Each structure stands twice: as structure tokens, then as C-alpha cells.
Amino acid sequence: MEQKPARARLIDAAHQLMQTKGLARTTTKEIAKAAGCSEAALYKHFLSKEELFVVVLKERLPKVDGILRKLITEPGEGERSVEQNLTEIARQAALFYEQSFPIAASLYAEPRLKERHDAAMRELSTGPHLPIRGVDTYLRAEQTAGRVPADADTYAAASLLMGACAQRAFAYDATETGGPPQSLDAFAASLARTLVRGLGR
């Protein structure tokens, strides 16, 4: 069986290690070793661990940005309702946060490392605020299309949607059932329905 290219092996190794150890405790040396590469080879493909983290998020986790780009360009495409579109966004966002939180959570235990990470995210022009902006941009496109009221606060709605999806990722581990009270599909649908009612008709 043919071995994967070094870049793919590095992303796979980073994904696995970051999921099990967290971003803060995973080193580039460990990633390179797990991928069967030298650390120098890792730096041929990626500028830093932060860049590798961003690539893991984009290439190995559920996609939110792809859905948003399509919806921003064609908000009413296929006659899907705003509620249906928000349901799909919520579903993918909840899956994304469920898988990304175990990776990034360890940063919050080390303030200096978190500061360095945030600075690297700014240099890479990325960060956790972008999905909120994306949903806001989508809802404003729906306003232009006349499917969301002109006076609706689209940024607040985007913040509520993404905040609820992020909250679902860690809020229920300590409960008796050890999980959310709703299935992912029921959660996404009810969140979108509630949000659409809040936006007004």
C-alpha cells in the first residue's frame, strides 16, 4: 500500500495528537515523529504549530465555512427556507465545536500560551470570531433578498446561533445522562426555528 504524502501524514498525526493531548501539550516534535517525518520536514509544510492547527480544523473537522460561502452567494438557492439553511449551519457548527473543543480547551489553562496562540491566529487572519461573521453575512444576504426583516439584528442572531452550538459541545458532560437532552438533528432544528421566530417575519 502506497504511503500518504508527508503533508497528509503530518495533518493526520496532528489531528490525532491534538484530540488526545490537546493543542497546548502537543509538540511539533511529537507530531513529526508520529507522522514518520523529521521536525524539519514539518516546517517545510507548515510555518508553525498554529498553522497546522488551522489546517486540521479546515481539513479534518466538519465544515461550516463551505456552507456559509455557498449560502452567502446564493441565499435562496433551491428554494430552501432560511430556517432550513440555519438548521444545516447549526448542525455543522455543533459537530465542529464538539470535535474542536477537546483540541483547543487546554490552551485556556495556560494564559501565556493562549496569548501566543491568539497572536498567531491574528497573523494567520483567522480565529473563532469568523464563523459568527459568516453567519451574520449570510443573514444580511437574506435581508437583501427580502427573506429576513430589514430591522433584524443579524449579528446578535449569528452570535446566539454559534454560541448555542459551542455551548452544546461542553455543557452536558456532568449531567446524569452524560450528554445533551436532544439529538443533534433535533437541537439544530429547534435552534433554527427559535432563531427565525426571533428574527421576525
Side-chain angles (χ1 to χ4, degrees), residues 98 164 167-188 190:
E98 181 182 295
Q167 179 74 5
R168 187 179 190 272
F170 72 90
Y172 299 104
D173 289 345
T175 61
E176 291 173 4
T177 59
Q182 295 173 296
S183 70
L184 175 61
D185 289 340
F187 165 79
S190 67

Side-chain angles (χ1 to χ4, degrees), residues 22 24 39 47 55 68 71 106 111 134 160 183 187:
E39 201 170 1
L47 295 173
V55 172
L68 289 172
L71 291 176
S106 60
L160 288 167
S183 70
F187 165 79

Side-chain angles (χ1 to χ4, degrees), residues 87 111 181:
T87 298

Side-chain angles (χ1 to χ4, degrees), residues 79-135:
E79 298 305 314
R80 285 169 56 89
S81 69
V82 174
E83 185 174 322
Q84 287 172 319
N85 288 336
L86 289 174
T87 298
E88 184 56 23
I89 292 168
R91 189 177 184 288
Q92 292 302 315
L95 283 170
F96 173 82
Y97 287 122
E98 181 182 295
Q99 294 180 35
S100 63
F101 267 22
I103 295 173
S106 60
L107 284 172
Y108 290 86
E110 300 181 37
R112 286 184 188 165
L113 186 57
K114 175 76 167 56
E115 285 175 19
R116 288 202 306 272
H117 175 78
D118 289 346
M121 293 296 99
R122 284 190 291 273
E123 284 179 27
L124 293 165
S125 299
T126 190
H129 60 290
L130 291 183
I132 297 172
R133 282 188 190 169
V135 176

Side-chain angles (χ1 to χ4, degrees), residues 41-59:
L42 182 149
Y43 285 109
K44 284 181 185 174
H45 294 279
F46 306 100
L47 295 173
S48 63
K49 183 171 75 170
E50 284 76 19
E51 185 187 23
L52 186 47
F53 168 63
V54 170
V55 172
V56 166
L57 295 184
K58 287 182 176 176
E59 297 187 18

Side-chain angles (χ1 to χ4, degrees), residues 2-79:
E2 192 176 329
Q3 192 177 37
K4 285 184 179 180
R7 182 183 183 278
R9 295 200 318 272
L10 285 162
I11 296 168
D12 288 343
H15 184 203
Q16 177 63 32
L17 284 165
M18 288 174 183
Q19 275 191 319
T20 54
K21 297 182 70 172
L23 178 61
R25 291 179 178 79
T26 299
T27 66
T28 52
K29 189 173 187 175
E30 290 172 316
I31 294 168
K33 183 178 178 184
C37 299
S38 67
E39 201 170 1
L42 182 149
Y43 285 109
K44 284 181 185 174
H45 294 279
F46 306 100
L47 295 173
S48 63
K49 183 171 75 170
E50 284 76 19
E51 185 187 23
L52 186 47
F53 168 63
V54 170
V55 172
V56 166
L57 295 184
K58 287 182 176 176
E59 297 187 18
R60 295 295 184 270
L61 270 59
K63 310 263 188 298
V64 179
D65 58 343
I67 294 168
L68 289 172
R69 275 196 301 272
K70 183 171 175 22
L71 291 176
I72 288 163
T73 306
E74 302 173 41
E77 195 255 343
E79 298 305 314

